[in-house]
Amino acid sequence: MPINFASDNWSGAHPAVSDALSRNAQGFATAYGASELDRKVERLFCDIFEREVAVFFVATGTAANSLSMALLNRPGGVAFAHLQAHMLEDEGGAPEFLTGGARLHGVQGRLGRMDPDALDRAIRLFPAEFVHSGQPMATSITQSTEIGTLYSLEEIAQIAEICRSHGLPLHMDGARFANALVALGTTPAEMTWKRGVDVLSFGATKNGCWCAEAVVVMNPDKARDMPFLRKRAAHLFSKSRFVAAQFEAYFRDGLWLANARHANEMAARLAETVRTTDRLHLAWEPQANEVFAIMKTPTAKALTDRNVYFHPWNPHGAEVSLEGDEGLYRFVTSFATTGEDVESFSKMLAE
Amino acid sequence: MPINFASDNWSGAHPAVSDALSRNAQGFATAYGASELDRKVERLFCDIFEREVAVFFVATGTAANSLSMALLNRPGGVAFAHLQAHMLEDEGGAPEFLTGGARLHGVQGRLGRMDPDALDRAIRLFPAEFVHSGQPMATSITQSTEIGTLYSLEEIAQIAEICRSHGLPLHMDGARFANALVALGTTPAEMTWKRGVDVLSFGATKNGCWCAEAVVVMNPDKARDMPFLRKRAAHLFSKSRFVAAQFEAYFRDGLWLANARHANEMAARLAETVRTTDRLHLAWEPQANEVFAIMKTPTAKALTDRNVYFHPWNPHGAEVSLEGDEGLYRFVTSFATTGEDVESFSKMLAE
Amino acid sequence: MPINFASDNWSGAHPAVSDALSRNAQGFATAYGASELDRKVERLFCDIFEREVAVFFVATGTAANSLSMALLNRPGGVAFAHLQAHMLEDEGGAPEFLTGGARLHGVQGRLGRMDPDALDRAIRLFPAEFVHSGQPMATSITQSTEIGTLYSLEEIAQIAEICRSHGLPLHMDGARFANALVALGTTPAEMTWKRGVDVLSFGATKNGCWCAEAVVVMNPDKARDMPFLRKRAAHLFSKSRFVAAQFEAYFRDGLWLANARHANEMAARLAETVRTTDRLHLAWEPQANEVFAIMKTPTAKALTDRNVYFHPWNPHGAEVSLEGDEGLYRFVTSFATTGEDVESFSKMLAE
Amino acid sequence: MPINFASDNWSGAHPAVSDALSRNAQGFATAYGASELDRKVERLFCDIFEREVAVFFVATGTAANSLSMALLNRPGGVAFAHLQAHMLEDEGGAPEFLTGGARLHGVQGRLGRMDPDALDRAIRLFPAEFVHSGQPMATSITQSTEIGTLYSLEEIAQIAEICRSHGLPLHMDGARFANALVALGTTPAEMTWKRGVDVLSFGATKNGCWCAEAVVVMNPDKARDMPFLRKRAAHLFSKSRFVAAQFEAYFRDGLWLANARHANEMAARLAETVRTTDRLHLAWEPQANEVFAIMKTPTAKALTDRNVYFHPWNPHGAEVSLEGDEGLYRFVTSFATTGEDVESFSKMLAE
């Protein structure tokens, strides 16, 4: 029986999400995002964010991020993001392609978070009217970060303040938005627009849906071009209600928060297990649903041989010092991770 | 109780497809198209097409068409398609955008089918080495066509022969592939590569899935760039098995063919109803699951008032002559259309 | 001794333009368009257009047109131009590419001029909020047209009025701006912004320069992105003064108007010659510096054999009826055409 | 009387180049690169490179680099270049835009040269079939580098060998090709294809032309798409002979080598001057026509006040340690720099 910590996108869909798809499968509904269910779910987003927002459903996180960048882009545009951000490392050039050639400029910072001073210096490398280097167009932060850490609300506000001082909008890649939200014990409004976030990639796929992501534009007046940007990228679904139905189930009775709390709790227990063995040690303190640990290659191999799934992680951007045959490894939990998984893993380590 | 002939993408998903999604929701599976289910369904495609093919799942027909064009494109590329093809009229610039600027050149032809001579003349407008006009890169036909007609197998072969003579690959937009297949009573292999089709947009969404489309490249050696083209357009799904699961249900026990036969049968009965009234008349003989009829505006309004859904159709490319207050209207049937729908409509007309 | 009516871009540069390049070759000047000479020539444009304009030097007409479109473009953008406009027929996909995928929609109209009603109908095919067809973003007219005809000032105003009613800006492709200007006996201001033109491709290359074109944005406030659009397309010249120097010579002492008058006069004399022979006849009345004539293939061959250069012209968009072995041919005059050229041609026809 | 070390593109054109433009201004010639002069100069390139090469004239170095990248690009493509390469720092996103979204990945290395091991590691970050990170498509080196240093022939071969081992073509940005060539005392063939360079941006603008650059593709069979790539980017000139004429003069009687030798000699004398004063010191040894020096802000200001032109240089990528109010500054020499300029500067420092 495998124990799977490979990725939160290796898990399937939560039963409530499947049920919603079955429930909505019958009957006719207006296509291309204009159905009653689409409209209803858009209202749910407004409720959740405590303001009028413009919401655009897509089905991959890469689409949400890339279309967000496309919305904010300007000719010769340059966006700023952490050097190890998903957009820079794992989206196969989609942000560059779907913006029509924008550049992503990597910014350093400890533990997956951009250093505010480094961000400020980076933006200053691109003077507003200097055509040779390109014009800054946006900053993007990831919450929770690629390596399972968090920006505090104050840190978000601080980044936003730097953006404002340079006239730049702030985007948040929220592929693991819910995990960050419950970890900080705050609200969607507090973690976004009240701290200066202008556009959000709201991810639900990793947290229990099949494929449900949304671009949330906090000021609907600035979303005017998005329907065309989405359509020209072929990301407008004819039977759009299948995304809406996932979101409806996701939000119903707080499923999304429960799923995220569960995943974070599993990660916390996994981290505790790691702390109590000397075969691995934590690379840094996990804050959401990802645990990064350092172990020797033979240990990793032994675990793999016993059907534990997890990924090696490129330490090139991580502040860890590896010795000899040590490697850095990522363990991800999700709604589908069980207490038994962690328990079995713990026992395995204790043997 | 509405009677809905608005579009086959207003219908939801067939119960077998929903069930497949529920059945596959649990457990972990490798992400990004590498799961066992993905592989299994890819094999199904090879079986169905009676040869090794390369298959790439996407979730919109526009993505399938646009990525097909991107695969075939060359710098300054020009693709040829019928003047009223979906790619030219209804995809919001996605083919142009996702190819990085290819041009679609409209070709005339009666009843939704490109005239072979007109195609040949059109291609000759773009001499191979003449940079000013751009270089031909592909031809695309739609089967069944935008207006519910069909290319015969011989006509496909004829178009393909013209393409070959100019060194151009042939793409088929198969958004309604199954409807055409059962109407012609032929096989996927006969309707595609045996007649010279190189790349196919295989559509399942309109015929009972939520969002399941595939680019099928008949010669896998020519598909090398497609994984990167799909990824950079943000169309690679993390939980890709949700598309695979739809296809598995779609192909199981011939559901796809049964759905298409049902839709075509409903269209045939609808056409028969139209033939027997003098309130409407057929614009042309339907050959798949779309019926185009001409009626006076008051008639259309009366039907709409009685909750019959259908769309007016721009006659600009259609060979119909409208008199006075007549208009052209489209009625679409699908797996979800019932005999009762047609019966009720018929009775309404008889009143 | 050949007689060359092949194209106005087969001529070299006027001696005054060469001299200006020699005169400005020495000494140092700020690069990338910021030299004193650049600034001085920008002021000349403001004087000539009788208002503050923003001016951007480029070196090909295709760049001027494509960057104009890029400035005006919006996501999913569609521009309207005459079916036989240079942008649609001869720019190798550059407008599509440099806009990042805009579509050019051809509009019919007699003798190279868009029919206003056809333009209005074409724009209405793209309802403002209908994502599937794309959003209208600009209209472009060519003055003088591809086939040597002219829009009257009233016709320009009429086109502009239709654009205004749809909220679209109006671009003018002025590759042969001067020829049109002197033919109409009007001023740059009257032929552009006073009639509703927003952005102009101002061509000087065909009329005596080596490579001098400019995008003129009538309202400088709307030109903000152009420096970045030009740079990202690699059309910003380091030694930009070599373009500025050409323009300075071009405008000095009315050289540009004199060149254009000469070219038009040569065309008028050429047309007169054609009228007086029965070996050719005019396809339509020339209004600027291009003469289109119909003749039999053997006549064309005989002329070619005697070293007369001219081009056959695709009649697909022209309102001419050709009989038997007749063909349509284009003869272009320029500043470099001499009275002797026309005289010799006339004698040849008389033999 | 100013002393101008600002940039080699602040100089105008060499008199021989101006004369060539005047000489070729008269008469008619086939447009769009098909004239006899164009063909003749293409042959000159073949002679100079001692093999059949395909040559494409453009007019900016950014166009040459960007179109080279476009020729080599593949979907999701990633190119490798030094972190401070011109393509990464100074081309306003043109390489990204004209390739349709390729990514430039910066590689570290001392003194403007990529470290071979760092290059190898960088390429390995992008496994060939891993769609998430993109696929490597080319490496680009700059000769001479952005900061006036050189790759030795052995170093070029070493970089090429790494590229070969990964199946990547090698591009050379030769904006200052001639300066490098004469500094190394080698031949164009030895410095390029005999060391593994596949595509070259051959620059002549900085070394005495107005605007003459060429993409040189060493294997003409691989240049097939370039005419369309150039046209769709609007970089094909109608009166193309004006570029050809510049090159003809540039190559005649070894003008290009003489100009480069002169510029390098001036830089060497300038460096010697710097060595003999304690007001500035060399940041590193200059190897071509650029001298980088460190001085205190007041010294820089005093020089500027006395009309000496030079640019401050961002030290972010340079291996210099600056103390207190020191800054890094660049001085560039060219064909137009005189011995008197250096002499006067020397005297100024001695005061």
Side-chain angles (χ1 to χ4, degrees):
Chain A
M1 187 64 178
I3 306 177
N4 204 308
F5 299 123
S7 177
D8 31 11
N9 58 34
W10 285 45
S11 62
H14 190 278
V17 170
S18 291
D19 291 351
L21 287 175
S22 297
R23 206 163 51 240
N24 284 281
Q26 289 200 302
F28 294 86
T30 316
Y32 294 114
S35 78
E36 284 176 31
L37 186 58
D38 289 278
R39 292 281 171 269
K40 177 182 168 190
V41 173
E42 287 173 13
R43 295 304 321 157
L44 283 179
F45 271 93
C46 296
D47 293 346
I48 286 167
F49 281 89
E50 302 174 45
R51 65 175 290 163
E52 286 301 301
V53 294
V55 184
F56 301 91
F57 303 152
V58 291
T60 68
T62 297
N65 286 340
S66 301
L67 292 177
S68 295
M69 289 298 105
L71 182 67
L72 302 175
N73 196 28
R74 295 161 62 186
V78 179
F80 302 86
H82 190 273
L83 264 169
Q84 276 78 44
H86 199 264
M87 283 208 299
L88 270 89
E89 299 247 309
D90 284 297
E91 301 194 344
E96 287 92 337
F97 184 66
L98 294 185
T99 53
R103 182 178 293 191
L104 305 180
H105 187 90
V107 176
Q108 289 185 310
R110 283 183 49 78
L111 292 177
R113 292 180 292 256
M114 271 193 289
D115 177 66
D117 290 339
L119 172 61
D120 190 59
R121 281 195 306 273
I123 299 173
R124 289 179 194 280
L125 288 175
F126 300 84
E129 300 300 322
F130 190 68
V131 294
H132 308 289
S133 45
Q135 63 180 335
M137 59 93 168
T139 295
S140 177
I141 56 175
T142 309
Q143 177 80 324
S144 59
T145 74
E146 269 314 276
I147 59 168
T149 58
L150 295 172
Y151 287 91
S152 70
L153 298 186
E154 293 69 30
E155 286 167 335
I156 296 170
Q158 190 181 4
I159 295 282
E161 178 51 36
I162 292 167
C163 293
R164 285 297 166 276
S165 75
H166 292 287
L168 291 191
L170 179 57
H171 168 259
M172 177 182 280
D173 175 357
R176 295 186 178 97
F177 186 83
N179 301 95
L181 195 72
V182 300
L184 289 180
T186 186
T187 69
E190 292 290 345
M191 199 165 81
T192 59
W193 61 272
K194 289 191 177 179
R195 290 301 173 283
V197 172
D198 299 292
V199 178
L200 169 69
S201 294
F202 182 96
T205 305
K206 290 177 191 290
N207 191 37
C209 290
W210 273 123
C211 61
E213 309 279 322
V215 176
V216 183
V217 183
M218 300 301 164
N219 179 350
D221 292 344
K222 300 203 168 165
R224 198 197 159 288
D225 279 337
M226 188 56 99
F228 293 93
L229 290 167
R230 180 173 60 176
K231 178 70 186 183
R232 79 168 187 182
H235 283 285
L236 175 62
F237 291 92
S238 55
K239 297 182 178 176
S240 172
R241 62 171 143 155
F242 90 92
V243 178
Q246 294 177 66
F247 274 125
E248 194 200 27
Y250 187 67
F251 290 138
R252 187 187 292 267
D253 301 329
L255 176 66
W256 67 306
L257 302 174
N259 279 359
R261 272 191 209 100
H262 175 80
N264 289 3
E265 167 64 18
M266 291 298 106
R269 286 169 59 179
L270 188 61
E272 188 54 31
T273 285
V274 171
R275 273 189 210 96
T276 56
T277 176
D278 52 7
R279 299 201 181 171
L280 314 76
H281 59 276
L282 292 175
W284 50 80
E285 284 301 310
Q287 297 183 276
N289 68 319
E290 298 180 286
V291 176
F292 288 78
I294 294 167
M295 59 181 143
K296 293 187 187 302
T297 307
T299 310
K301 188 173 181 318
L303 289 171
T304 300
D305 287 347
R306 296 190 63 179
N307 278 325
V308 183
Y309 285 72
F310 53 92
H311 282 320
W313 196 256
N314 190 327
H316 68 91
E319 297 93 316
V320 292
S321 52
L322 302 175
E323 293 175 20
D325 61 351
E326 284 182 341
L328 177 65
Y329 298 91
R330 185 188 75 165
F331 299 76
V332 190
T333 58
S334 76
F335 76 95
T337 306
T338 63
E340 290 72 40
D341 290 336
V342 180
E343 193 75 12
S344 303
F345 181 67
S346 179
K347 282 184 187 154
M348 215 179 275
L349 290 179
E351 285 170 18
Chain B
M1 187 67 178
I3 307 177
N4 204 309
F5 300 123
S7 176
D8 31 11
N9 58 36
W10 285 44
S11 62
H14 190 278
V17 170
S18 292
D19 291 351
L21 286 175
S22 297
R23 207 163 50 241
N24 284 281
Q26 290 200 300
F28 293 86
T30 316
Y32 295 114
S35 79
E36 284 176 30
L37 185 58
D38 289 279
R39 292 280 171 268
K40 178 183 167 190
V41 173
E42 287 174 12
R43 295 304 320 157
L44 283 179
F45 271 93
C46 296
D47 293 346
I48 286 167
F49 281 89
E50 303 175 44
R51 64 175 292 164
E52 287 300 302
V53 294
V55 184
F56 301 90
F57 303 152
V58 291
T60 68
T62 297
N65 286 340
S66 301
L67 293 176
S68 294
M69 290 297 106
L71 181 68
L72 302 174
N73 196 28
R74 295 161 60 188
V78 180
F80 301 86
H82 190 274
L83 264 169
Q84 277 77 45
H86 199 265
M87 283 207 298
L88 270 90
E89 298 248 309
D90 284 298
E91 301 194 344
E96 287 91 337
F97 184 66
L98 295 185
T99 53
R103 181 179 293 193
L104 305 179
H105 187 90
V107 176
Q108 288 185 311
R110 282 180 52 76
L111 292 176
R113 293 181 291 256
M114 271 191 290
D115 176 66
D117 290 339
L119 172 62
D120 191 59
R121 281 195 306 273
I123 299 173
R124 289 179 196 279
L125 288 176
F126 300 85
E129 302 300 323
F130 190 67
V131 295
H132 307 289
S133 45
Q135 63 180 334
M137 60 92 168
T139 296
S140 178
I141 55 175
T142 309
Q143 178 79 325
S144 58
T145 74
E146 270 312 276
I147 58 168
T149 58
L150 294 172
Y151 287 90
S152 70
L153 298 186
E154 294 69 31
E155 286 167 334
I156 297 171
Q158 189 181 4
I159 296 280
E161 179 51 36
I162 291 167
C163 294
R164 285 298 165 278
S165 75
H166 292 287
L168 291 191
L170 178 58
H171 167 258
M172 179 182 279
D173 175 356
R176 295 186 178 97
F177 186 84
N179 301 94
L181 195 72
V182 301
L184 289 179
T186 188
T187 67
E190 292 290 345
M191 200 166 81
T192 59
W193 61 272
K194 290 190 176 179
R195 289 300 174 285
V197 172
D198 299 291
V199 178
L200 169 68
S201 295
F202 183 95
T205 304
K206 290 179 192 290
N207 191 36
C209 290
W210 273 123
C211 60
E213 308 279 323
V215 177
V216 182
V217 183
M218 300 301 164
N219 179 349
D221 293 344
K222 301 204 168 165
R224 197 197 159 288
D225 279 339
M226 188 55 99
F228 293 93
L229 289 167
R230 181 175 57 177
K231 177 71 186 183
R232 79 168 186 182
H235 283 285
L236 175 61
F237 291 92
S238 56
K239 298 182 178 176
S240 172
R241 63 170 142 156
F242 89 93
V243 178
Q246 293 178 67
F247 274 125
E248 193 198 27
Y250 188 67
F251 290 138
R252 187 185 294 266
D253 301 330
L255 175 67
W256 66 306
L257 302 174
N259 279 359
R261 271 190 211 101
H262 175 80
N264 289 4
E265 168 64 18
M266 291 298 106
R269 286 168 59 180
L270 188 60
E272 190 53 31
T273 285
V274 172
R275 272 188 212 97
T276 56
T277 176
D278 52 6
R279 299 199 181 174
L280 316 75
H281 59 276
L282 292 175
W284 48 82
E285 285 301 310
Q287 297 182 278
N289 67 320
E290 297 179 287
V291 175
F292 288 77
I294 295 167
M295 58 182 144
K296 293 186 188 301
T297 307
T299 310
K301 186 170 182 319
L303 289 170
T304 299
D305 287 348
R306 297 190 62 178
N307 279 325
V308 184
Y309 286 72
F310 52 92
H311 281 320
W313 195 257
N314 189 329
H316 67 90
E319 298 93 315
V320 291
S321 52
L322 301 176
E323 294 174 19
D325 61 349
E326 285 183 339
L328 177 65
Y329 297 91
R330 186 189 73 165
F331 298 77
V332 189
T333 58
S334 75
F335 76 96
T337 307
T338 64
E340 289 72 38
D341 290 336
V342 180
E343 194 75 10
S344 304
F345 182 69
S346 179
K347 281 183 189 155
M348 215 177 276
L349 290 179
E351 286 169 14
Chain C
M1 186 69 178
I3 306 176
N4 205 308
F5 300 123
S7 176
D8 33 10
N9 58 35
W10 284 44
S11 61
H14 190 277
V17 170
S18 291
D19 291 349
L21 287 175
S22 296
R23 208 163 49 239
N24 283 282
Q26 289 199 301
F28 294 87
T30 315
Y32 295 115
S35 78
E36 284 176 31
L37 185 58
D38 289 278
R39 291 282 173 267
K40 177 183 166 188
V41 172
E42 288 173 13
R43 295 305 319 158
L44 283 179
F45 270 93
C46 296
D47 293 345
I48 286 167
F49 282 88
E50 302 174 43
R51 65 175 290 163
E52 286 300 301
V53 295
V55 184
F56 301 91
F57 302 152
V58 292
T60 68
T62 297
N65 286 340
S66 301
L67 294 177
S68 294
M69 289 299 105
L71 181 68
L72 302 175
N73 196 28
R74 295 162 59 187
V78 180
F80 302 86
H82 190 273
L83 264 170
Q84 277 76 44
H86 199 264
M87 284 207 299
L88 270 91
E89 298 248 308
D90 284 296
E91 301 194 343
E96 288 91 337
F97 184 66
L98 294 185
T99 53
R103 182 179 293 192
L104 304 181
H105 187 90
V107 176
Q108 289 185 311
R110 284 182 49 77
L111 291 178
R113 294 181 289 257
M114 273 193 288
D115 177 65
D117 290 339
L119 172 62
D120 191 59
R121 283 195 305 275
I123 299 172
R124 289 179 195 281
L125 289 175
F126 300 84
E129 301 300 322
F130 190 66
V131 294
H132 308 290
S133 46
Q135 63 181 335
M137 58 92 166
T139 296
S140 177
I141 55 174
T142 309
Q143 178 79 326
S144 61
T145 74
E146 268 314 272
I147 59 168
T149 57
L150 294 172
Y151 287 91
S152 70
L153 298 186
E154 294 69 32
E155 286 167 335
I156 296 170
Q158 190 182 5
I159 295 281
E161 179 50 37
I162 291 167
C163 294
R164 285 299 165 276
S165 75
H166 292 286
L168 292 191
L170 178 58
H171 167 259
M172 178 183 280
D173 175 355
R176 296 186 178 96
F177 186 83
N179 301 95
L181 195 72
V182 301
L184 289 180
T186 187
T187 68
E190 291 290 345
M191 199 166 81
T192 60
W193 61 272
K194 289 192 176 177
R195 289 300 173 285
V197 172
D198 298 292
V199 178
L200 168 69
S201 295
F202 182 96
T205 304
K206 291 178 192 289
N207 192 35
C209 290
W210 273 123
C211 62
E213 308 279 322
V215 177
V216 182
V217 183
M218 300 301 161
N219 180 349
D221 292 345
K222 300 205 168 164
R224 199 197 158 287
D225 279 338
M226 187 55 97
F228 293 93
L229 290 167
R230 181 174 58 176
K231 177 72 185 182
R232 80 169 187 183
H235 283 285
L236 176 61
F237 292 92
S238 56
K239 297 182 178 176
S240 172
R241 64 169 142 157
F242 89 93
V243 178
Q246 293 177 68
F247 274 125
E248 194 199 27
Y250 187 67
F251 290 137
R252 187 186 294 266
D253 300 330
L255 175 67
W256 67 306
L257 303 175
N259 279 358
R261 272 191 210 102
H262 175 80
N264 289 5
E265 168 65 17
M266 292 297 107
R269 286 167 59 178
L270 188 61
E272 189 53 32
T273 285
V274 171
R275 273 189 211 97
T276 56
T277 176
D278 52 5
R279 299 199 180 173
L280 316 75
H281 59 275
L282 293 176
W284 50 81
E285 285 300 309
Q287 297 182 277
N289 68 321
E290 298 180 286
V291 176
F292 288 76
I294 295 169
M295 57 182 146
K296 293 187 188 300
T297 307
T299 310
K301 186 171 182 317
L303 288 172
T304 300
D305 287 347
R306 297 190 62 177
N307 280 323
V308 183
Y309 286 71
F310 53 92
H311 281 320
W313 195 257
N314 190 327
H316 69 89
E319 297 94 314
V320 291
S321 53
L322 301 176
E323 292 175 20
D325 60 351
E326 285 183 340
L328 178 64
Y329 298 90
R330 186 189 72 166
F331 299 76
V332 190
T333 58
S334 76
F335 75 95
T337 306
T338 63
E340 289 72 38
D341 290 336
V342 180
E343 193 76 10
S344 303
F345 182 68
S346 179
K347 283 184 188 156
M348 214 178 276
L349 291 179
E351 288 170 16
Chain D
M1 186 66 179
I3 306 177
N4 204 307
F5 299 123
S7 175
D8 32 11
N9 57 36
W10 284 44
S11 61
H14 190 277
V17 170
S18 291
D19 290 351
L21 287 175
S22 296
R23 207 164 47 241
N24 284 283
Q26 290 200 300
F28 294 86
T30 316
Y32 295 115
S35 77
E36 284 177 30
L37 185 58
D38 288 279
R39 291 281 172 268
K40 177 183 167 190
V41 172
E42 288 173 14
R43 294 305 319 158
L44 283 179
F45 271 93
C46 296
D47 294 345
I48 285 167
F49 281 89
E50 303 175 43
R51 66 174 291 164
E52 287 299 301
V53 295
V55 184
F56 302 91
F57 302 151
V58 291
T60 68
T62 297
N65 286 340
S66 301
L67 293 176
S68 294
M69 289 298 106
L71 181 68
L72 302 174
N73 196 29
R74 295 161 61 187
V78 180
F80 302 87
H82 190 274
L83 265 169
Q84 277 77 44
H86 199 264
M87 284 207 298
L88 272 90
E89 299 248 310
D90 284 298
E91 301 195 343
E96 289 91 337
F97 183 67
L98 294 185
T99 54
R103 182 178 293 193
L104 304 180
H105 187 90
V107 176
Q108 289 184 310
R110 284 181 49 77
L111 291 177
R113 293 181 290 256
M114 273 193 288
D115 177 66
D117 290 341
L119 172 62
D120 191 59
R121 283 195 306 274
I123 298 173
R124 288 178 196 282
L125 288 175
F126 300 84
E129 302 299 323
F130 190 68
V131 295
H132 307 290
S133 45
Q135 63 181 334
M137 58 93 167
T139 296
S140 178
I141 56 175
T142 309
Q143 179 79 327
S144 60
T145 73
E146 269 312 274
I147 58 168
T149 57
L150 294 172
Y151 287 92
S152 70
L153 298 186
E154 294 69 31
E155 286 167 334
I156 296 171
Q158 191 182 3
I159 295 281
E161 179 51 37
I162 291 167
C163 293
R164 286 298 165 277
S165 74
H166 292 287
L168 290 191
L170 178 58
H171 167 259
M172 177 182 281
D173 175 356
R176 295 187 178 97
F177 186 82
N179 301 96
L181 195 72
V182 300
L184 289 179
T186 186
T187 68
E190 291 290 345
M191 200 165 83
T192 59
W193 61 272
K194 289 191 176 179
R195 291 300 174 283
V197 172
D198 298 292
V199 178
L200 169 69
S201 295
F202 182 95
T205 304
K206 290 178 192 290
N207 191 36
C209 291
W210 272 124
C211 62
E213 308 279 320
V215 176
V216 182
V217 183
M218 300 300 164
N219 180 349
D221 292 344
K222 301 203 168 165
R224 198 197 158 290
D225 278 338
M226 188 55 98
F228 293 93
L229 290 166
R230 181 175 56 177
K231 177 71 186 181
R232 79 168 186 183
H235 283 285
L236 175 61
F237 291 91
S238 55
K239 299 183 178 175
S240 173
R241 63 171 142 155
F242 90 92
V243 178
Q246 293 178 67
F247 273 127
E248 194 200 28
Y250 187 67
F251 289 140
R252 187 186 293 266
D253 301 329
L255 175 67
W256 66 308
L257 303 175
N259 279 0
R261 271 191 210 101
H262 175 79
N264 289 5
E265 168 64 17
M266 291 297 106
R269 285 169 59 180
L270 189 61
E272 188 53 32
T273 285
V274 171
R275 274 189 209 96
T276 55
T277 175
D278 53 5
R279 299 201 180 170
L280 316 75
H281 59 274
L282 293 174
W284 49 80
E285 284 300 309
Q287 297 183 277
N289 67 319
E290 297 180 286
V291 176
F292 288 78
I294 295 168
M295 57 181 146
K296 292 186 189 300
T297 306
T299 310
K301 187 171 181 318
L303 288 171
T304 300
D305 288 347
R306 298 189 59 176
N307 279 324
V308 183
Y309 286 71
F310 53 93
H311 281 320
W313 196 256
N314 189 327
H316 68 90
E319 297 93 314
V320 291
S321 52
L322 301 175
E323 293 174 20
D325 60 351
E326 284 182 340
L328 178 65
Y329 298 91
R330 185 188 74 165
F331 299 77
V332 190
T333 57
S334 76
F335 77 95
T337 306
T338 63
E340 289 72 39
D341 290 335
V342 180
E343 193 75 10
S344 303
F345 181 68
S346 179
K347 282 185 187 152
M348 216 178 276
L349 290 179
E351 287 170 17

